[in-house]
Amino acid sequence: MRAIIFVVRTIDKLSQLSGKILSPIVLFLMAVIVYDVTKRYVFSHPTLWAQELSEFIFGAYWLLGGAYTLLEEAHVKMDVFYRRFSVRTRAVINVITAPIFFVFILILLREGWHFASFSLRCAEHSNSMWSPPLYPAKMMIPMAALLMLLQGTTKFVRALVLAITGREL
Amino acid sequence: MNAALVTVLFFGLVLFFLTLGLPVSFALGGVSVALTYFFWGPEGLSIIANRAWGAVANFVVVCVPLFVFMGAMLERSGVASALYKSMHLWCGRLRGGLAAGTVLICMLFAAMTGLSASATVTMGLVALPEMLKRNYDKSLALGCITAGGALGVLIPPSVTMVLYALVAEQSVGKLFMGGVIPGVILGLFFIAYILIRAAFQPQIAPGAPQEERGTWRHKLMALRAVILPSLIILGVLGTIFAGIATPTEAAAVGAMLTLVSAAIHKRLRWADVRDACYQTLKVSSMAMWIYLGSLCFTTLYYSTGAPAFVKEFLLHMPGGKWGTIITIQIIWFLLGMFLDPWGIIMITAPVFCPVIKELGFSLIWFGVLFIVNMEMAYLTPPFGFNLFYLKGVAPSDVSLADIYRSVVPFIALQALALILVIVFPQLVLWIPKMMLG
């Protein structure tokens, strides 16, 4: 039991940390695009990299941010009926619905890994003028699925313990 | 595989898991993946990573976090209270003036931000206590804020429109232009309703006493509050409409202008920026994961042959093609009582859009119809975002039941606007046509 509590708390902290690292990225994103806009409209000399770079930044941001959003219970849900139940009933329901979550995330992890590792094997580059390597960005898909899987698992364990024992972990 | 069965099975399962409180993104994604696996085996799933990548390699979606950040920062920038002070001096003496002015500020806010939360929360904090202090009728005071706040998604820019544009593969700029006239009409409806009621029942919205009425000098000085918002609106909407900047570029510039205005109001604090950053991460990540779920759904949906079935079903509504439009409005309205607008668009747009195209309607018009319909969704109990936003910031003697009661007349006005937009598509299509030919 102690080991479980330790693992659950560690994963929660990991998601917390990911949120802390990811959240200021929106400022960087803003700066990249404003820089590009200034170059384009003021100096008529647009950058070659800003658009593609900002796509990758935002992709990593929202993909990896999924786990933090899950930790914060900020994935929007239809809770008209759900929130009428007691905390323990909700935990039971969470355990029942969890397989749908896991199917989605596990498939995303597997397919994302195939997709990204294929890109890595053939050292795929974008066909733009800037031509950055694409595999680091593509690797964000399985990485995000992994973070999501970890965070989803701790939520599942918490719900399971609450459903069985009636006590919070 | 029988298309009817798959369609019913799919929607039945999604609704089932939604009712059980599973987040929209996972319900959509999970059910799609499970059904694809069940009917077509593992090969059918390899496209999912490709779809996720499609959501990344897309410059348009990059505007989402920027608009969200802009709204979150505006909430904390002090722009609202400056605007409110100015409005107080100009409209305060009028019966119903504070409520009508609140709607006006909501419209200005809507032209700066892309969410319904920003104006609802700020006006709930700034305008509501003032109106209650002045003995405004509680229902009127609450209703004008929830309804005015919802204009945020109709008057451009609008994150909801961006999400529709993604799913329906339409131009964000055109949708933004299409929302202008319906948004202004709806705002004017609210203002007219408030002023007319206040004229007949002066006790529900009394004018300000003599000593609160400012001098002309005060009034003109107070107009300075409008300068920064005007610059932001010009910088964001002006550049998009003039075709100078893409929505994403405009959003980045707008986000920066918001930081600048916060600095000018001496409200640029790191704690506020950090909170806005966290909020932005959560909201944009949530939106994009729903989008990812919806991409999985689209893949499944099109491989089943279900579109033909649904098309057949929707095309044979009584009343011909207008019957189809009205049926869709009713479906949206009912979903709006229980589900959030982003989820509704992600679930229904892939189904409805091909039908609408087949019927020869404009998908821009259809998108704005969706948004006008969702104006009601933000207000209809039991699940309406603005109800909860306002409850979150209202004084403790305001109950959720008070808020539920307050929205009724405003929902009626929104329904009226929806009918107008259905009957006169030109209200939507005129500006895009004029600007882009």
Side-chain angles (χ1 to χ4, degrees):
Chain A
M1 200 63 178
R2 267 232 205 99
I4 295 177
I5 293 177
F6 176 74
V7 171
V8 163
R9 290 205 177 137
T10 309
I11 293 175
D12 282 358
K13 272 189 199 136
L14 180 71
S15 300
Q16 195 75 51
L17 180 69
S18 74
K20 200 169 186 172
I21 296 170
L22 289 168
S23 62
I25 288 180
V26 68
L27 298 172
F28 180 59
L29 191 62
M30 180 184 80
V32 167
I33 300 174
V34 169
Y35 176 76
D36 181 48
V37 167
T38 321
K39 290 280 276 183
R40 182 186 313 263
Y41 298 109
V42 182
F43 301 105
S44 318
H45 201 291
T47 64
L48 294 174
W49 44 268
Q51 283 214 358
E52 228 171 352
L53 179 67
S54 55
E55 286 170 15
F56 297 159
I57 295 172
F58 178 54
Y61 174 84
W62 71 261
L63 276 165
L64 300 175
Y68 172 74
T69 310
L70 184 61
L71 174 76
E72 295 275 306
E73 298 276 350
H75 284 286
V76 69
K77 52 187 165 214
M78 177 168 113
D79 58 358
V80 178
F81 309 106
Y82 180 75
R83 74 192 138 101
R84 286 168 204 250
F85 300 124
S86 72
V87 179
R88 190 165 178 183
T89 314
R90 268 187 254 168
V92 174
I93 294 174
N94 288 350
V95 171
I96 296 170
T97 57
I100 286 291
F101 167 83
F102 285 120
V103 164
F104 179 46
I105 296 303
L106 283 169
I107 295 293
L108 192 66
L109 179 59
R110 198 190 70 176
E111 298 303 333
W113 173 250
H114 286 324
F115 184 71
S117 56
F118 177 76
S119 170
L120 180 67
R121 272 202 306 281
C122 46
E124 186 190 8
H125 280 244
S126 156
N127 54 10
S128 63
M129 294 269 278
W130 180 39
S131 190
L134 287 180
Y135 43 87
K138 289 190 171 179
M139 276 295 170
M140 295 301 154
I141 299 172
M143 253 182 79
L146 188 64
L147 281 181
M148 199 71 143
L149 183 65
L150 289 173
Q151 187 54 47
T153 309
T154 73
K155 279 191 62 127
F156 178 73
V157 170
R158 279 180 190 278
L160 196 64
V161 170
L162 184 59
I164 295 170
T165 66
R167 277 198 304 270
E168 303 254 2
L169 192 67
Chain B
M1 190 58 223
N2 186 336
L5 182 68
V6 177
T7 310
V8 171
L9 199 61
F10 174 82
F11 283 103
L13 281 174
V14 167
L15 283 180
F16 174 73
F17 283 107
L18 284 179
T19 315
L20 289 182
L22 190 66
V24 182
S25 41
F26 308 141
L28 267 176
V31 171
S32 307
V33 167
L35 286 182
T36 306
Y37 185 85
F38 188 71
F39 289 118
W40 288 275
E43 310 83 70
L45 293 170
S46 57
I47 196 160
I48 281 177
N50 221 325
R51 287 299 191 137
W53 179 246
V56 173
N58 181 341
F59 191 59
V60 175
V61 299
V62 179
C63 75
V64 171
L66 298 167
F67 278 132
V68 174
F69 179 74
M70 200 177 152
M73 221 31 240
L74 267 179
E75 277 173 34
R76 298 162 168 84
S77 67
V79 169
S81 43
L83 275 175
Y84 191 80
K85 267 184 211 136
S86 160
M87 184 278 289
H88 200 288
L89 282 172
W90 282 88
C91 317
R93 64 184 181 81
L94 213 66
R95 280 178 193 165
L98 287 190
T102 301
V103 174
L104 211 57
I105 295 180
C106 285
M107 289 168 76
L108 273 179
F109 244 70
M112 290 188 279
T113 73
L115 301 168
S116 77
S118 317
T120 311
V121 169
T122 41
M123 285 298 106
L125 287 171
V126 176
L128 184 59
E130 287 290 320
M131 284 192 274
L132 294 179
K133 200 170 77 190
R134 190 88 79 63
N135 285 324
Y136 265 53
D137 174 59
K138 218 187 223 174
S139 267
L140 191 71
L142 294 168
C144 75
I145 294 174
T146 40
L151 290 171
V153 298
L154 178 57
I155 296 178
S158 158
V159 174
T160 313
M161 282 183 182
V162 173
L163 295 178
Y164 172 84
L166 286 175
V167 193
E169 295 176 344
Q170 295 298 306
S171 135
V172 173
K174 279 188 191 169
L175 275 162
F176 279 7
M177 292 177 199
V180 173
I181 296 180
V184 171
I185 288 181
L186 195 47
L188 293 179
F189 275 4
F190 296 156
I191 292 175
Y193 163 77
I194 292 163
L195 293 181
I196 291 170
R197 264 201 74 185
F200 284 103
Q201 298 168 285
Q203 73 283 3
I204 66 164
Q210 191 62 51
E211 66 270 16
E212 275 182 37
R213 296 175 192 176
T215 63
W216 276 103
R217 204 184 117 74
H218 278 122
K219 284 185 180 175
L220 289 175
M221 290 294 280
L223 272 187
R224 282 185 312 180
V226 185
I227 297 173
L228 282 173
S230 311
L231 284 177
I232 294 176
I233 293 171
L234 203 70
V236 177
L237 287 184
T239 51
I240 298 176
F241 285 5
I244 297 171
T246 64
T248 307
E249 292 168 340
V253 173
M256 211 179 64
L257 288 177
T258 315
L259 286 175
V260 171
S261 2
I264 291 175
H265 285 279
K266 298 199 172 60
R267 293 279 289 270
L268 190 63
R269 284 184 295 250
W270 172 240
D272 284 341
V273 177
R274 192 191 53 208
D275 288 352
C277 283
Y278 274 117
Q279 196 183 332
T280 307
L281 175 62
K282 282 188 281 190
V283 173
S284 346
S285 192
M286 178 261 278
M288 291 304 292
W289 276 87
I290 301 180
Y291 180 46
L292 180 58
S294 132
L295 287 172
C296 297
F297 160 50
T298 321
T299 309
L300 165 79
Y301 182 70
Y302 282 99
S303 52
T304 58
F309 160 73
V310 174
K311 199 181 277 178
E312 200 59 21
F313 175 76
L314 277 172
L315 288 179
H316 288 91
M317 285 293 145
K321 60 181 189 176
W322 293 104
T324 309
I325 293 286
I326 291 164
T327 310
I328 290 175
Q329 299 310 316
I330 295 171
I331 294 174
W332 276 343
F333 178 78
L334 294 176
L335 285 174
M337 292 166 72
F338 299 98
L339 205 58
D340 78 290
W342 294 358
I344 296 174
I345 199 60
M346 298 295 180
I347 296 172
T348 61
V351 181
F352 291 156
C353 287
V355 181
I356 293 304
K357 216 169 164 182
E358 170 113 359
L359 287 173
F361 289 118
S362 147
L363 280 175
I364 297 292
W365 172 71
F366 188 65
V368 176
L369 272 192
F370 168 74
I371 306 284
V372 178
N373 199 311
M374 287 306 111
E375 290 289 297
M376 298 190 279
Y378 280 103
L379 267 57
T380 41
F383 185 91
F385 269 132
N386 280 14
L387 308 171
F388 306 140
Y389 290 147
L390 189 57
K391 175 73 183 110
V393 294
S396 52
D397 58 328
V398 172
S399 71
L400 201 53
D402 287 332
I403 299 179
Y404 282 177
R405 263 195 300 277
S406 74
V407 295
V408 178
F410 292 95
I411 292 175
L413 292 170
Q414 290 168 334
L416 185 64
L418 179 64
I419 294 170
L420 270 182
V421 177
I422 293 177
V423 177
F424 302 105
Q426 287 310 317
L427 294 175
V428 174
L429 300 174
W430 185 65
I431 293 188
K433 199 172 170 193
M434 196 183 62
M435 301 290 289
L436 305 167

